Every structure is written in structure tokens, then in C-alpha cells.
Amino acid sequence: MGRSPCCEKEHTNKGAWTKEEDQRLIAYIRANGEGCWRSLPKSAGLLRCGKSCRLRWMNYLRPDLKRGNFTGDEDELIIRLHALLGNKWSLIAGQLPGRTDNEIKNYWNTHIKRKLLSRGMDPHTHRPITADGANAPSYRPAPPQHIAVPTRAPATMFTLTMKTQPAPVESSDEGSSGATSTGEPRCPDLNLDLSVGPPAADTPTSHSQRPVCLCHHLGFRGGEACSCRQADSSACRYFRPLEEGQYI
DNA sequence: AACATGAGCAACCGCCGACCG
DNA sequence: TCGGTCGGCGGTTGCTCATGT
């Protein structure tokens, strides 16, 4: 017995959305807000799967979406975040106000991959491609680093911990998902420990460790890619400032 | 003008984890 | 503790349009 379908496939439309469907969805969400995607299509009078409605709203209809070309700043931020997070498009999208994970994923696959290749970089490993096709190591050991990532729920935090590990023997063949077949992190000396829970006891509170926007520490202060304000750190993802000499 | 090819992007599919009874 | 439901995510597909022949 398989998993039950998320909706009645026989009575749902598929493919491109029509203007009328868009208007119905927008009107319904304006009146009732987001939530309960499963029942939304019926309530809104749409012959669509709830997932499809959610996707359409999140990726196309949301009023806070930024349309148009990616800027150079955004390009570079995506590249740096991808080097740090891998194919975690939703986390990357969280750093780019007005951009969606789907949009960034598409942009990565169509533009940035080629851009990195033209720079002689492997888009999966972010390492220079050597003459024999292998990746040269480009990551150096770094001290432990914490990145606190508040989600929409204020009480919940992600804590990204980058730990220094003894450099293991590196696998020569790495998958596109950013991890080896054994589940090891892509970078031998970079271990991202992503946990969800209340901020750790050592969550920065002092002035010197005041949380700052991740974009700022990636070097995009005041740039197109970061529209958050430093004074309002609760409105963006943030992490503890790097100590002098540290790097990502 | 007609066709082939490739790029770009919206949408779908299936899996996973959180949540709840 | 377990099973079902739901939302969310990443990978993939397929349509549309632009460009080349």
C-alpha cells in the first residue's frame, strides 16, 4: 500500500497557471493569509494541488519578491554561500531578500555553474580544477565558528557550527550533493553541524560578539545583495563575527 | 521561411522531517 | 511509541523562446 496522494489528481489542473488562477490565489491569501495549503485549493475554488498553490505563491506571486536579473553582488554572495552550505537553496535564499530557492537553484544551474567553470573552478567543490581534472585543496583549517540562523519562528534557532577536524584522507570522487558516499562533509576540514533548538549557552550576547548579518561578514555590507539593516539584526540571519585572521 | 538546437525557467515529483492524535 | 498528515525541500522535467543553420 503506497503513500496516499497529496490531492485528487484526477480533478486538478496541471501545468502553467492562468491569470485567473493567479488572481484567485492572490485574493484568497490576501483575505485569509497563508496556511493549510491542503485545503486552500478547495476553499479558494482552485482545481489545483495544495502543493502547487504553495509553490506558485512562494515562487511567483508573493508581493515581496524581487524580479529581474541578479546583480554581481548577488552572484558573489550565492557563490560564497554555496561554498559554505552546498545545495541548501532555501538557506541561501534566506540570505537574499526577495529571491526564492527555486529561482536561485535555476540561476545556479544555468549561470553560475558556467561562471565558475570559466574561472577554472569546480562548481561542486569550489576548488580550482587542475590540469588532470582533479580538484586542488583550497580550504584551510578554521577555528570553530557559529552561525545562528533565526527562522520565522522567533523561538527557534539554527546553529551552524563549523568545526576544525583532523584532515582525513580525501575521497577523489565527490558527489554533486556536496557529500561523499559515506556522508562525510564535502570539505574535509569543514564540518557543518546544523542543529535546531534554542540558542546555545554561548550564543553571543556581549558587544564584541553581537550577532551580525551573514551578508556583512561575507563582504556585502550595504550592497545590493543585502538589504537588511545592521541595527535590526533580528530581521536577518546572523552569526558571530569572525576573529581577526579567521575566514570562511 | 522553416527547422534544429540550446538556454532559461516554471512547475512537478518524491522524499524527509515535524507535528499531532 | 507509533502511524498518519502536512509542509517544505532538492532534484528533475518539460515547455517556451531565442538563436543559429
Side-chain angles (χ1 to χ4, degrees), chain A residues 124-176:
Chain A
H124 297 135
T125 63
H126 294 263
R127 295 174 181 176
I129 300 170
T130 59
D132 61 359
N135 296 138
S138 65
Y139 286 86
R140 293 166 292 163
Q145 181 75 25
H146 299 277
I147 304 174
V149 186
T151 64
R152 285 187 180 81
T156 309
M157 304 274 284
F158 286 111
T159 305
L160 276 169
T161 307
M162 294 161 57
K163 295 173 183 166
T164 303
Q165 290 189 327
V169 176
E170 191 178 345
S171 166
S172 61
D173 185 22
E174 291 166 343
S176 62

Side-chain angles (χ1 to χ4, degrees), chain A residues 34-47:
Chain A
E34 293 178 37
C36 199
W37 294 106
R38 192 180 171 85
S39 63
L40 183 148
K42 197 174 180 181
S43 307
L46 287 162
L47 294 173

Side-chain angles (χ1 to χ4, degrees), chain A residues 27-72:
Chain A
Y28 182 85
I29 291 177
R30 274 188 186 153
N32 301 282
E34 293 178 37
C36 199
W37 294 106
R38 192 180 171 85
S39 63
L40 183 148
K42 197 174 180 181
S43 307
L46 287 162
L47 294 173
R48 287 278 179 178
C49 170
K51 278 188 172 188
S52 182
C53 293
R54 177 189 160 272
L55 209 63
R56 182 66 177 170
W57 174 254
M58 294 298 208
N59 289 334
Y60 204 82
L61 300 176
R62 257 164 52 202
D64 57 331
L65 289 181
K66 185 199 287 184
R67 313 299 302 183
N69 296 336
F70 282 76
T71 65

Side-chain angles (χ1 to χ4, degrees), chain A residues 127-223:
Chain A
R127 295 174 181 176
I129 300 170
T130 59
D132 61 359
N135 296 138
S138 65
Y139 286 86
R140 293 166 292 163
Q145 181 75 25
H146 299 277
I147 304 174
V149 186
T151 64
R152 285 187 180 81
T156 309
M157 304 274 284
F158 286 111
T159 305
L160 276 169
T161 307
M162 294 161 57
K163 295 173 183 166
T164 303
Q165 290 189 327
V169 176
E170 191 178 345
S171 166
S172 61
D173 185 22
E174 291 166 343
S176 62
S177 64
T180 65
S181 59
T182 59
E184 289 297 315
R186 176 178 62 248
C187 309
D189 51 358
L190 181 65
N191 173 22
L192 291 179
D193 174 13
L194 186 61
S195 58
V196 180
D202 64 347
T203 296
T205 51
S206 69
H207 178 71
S208 64
Q209 294 188 337
R210 190 169 60 87
V212 297
C213 174
L214 180 55
C215 306
H216 285 247
H217 262 271
L218 288 171
F220 292 91
R221 298 176 183 84

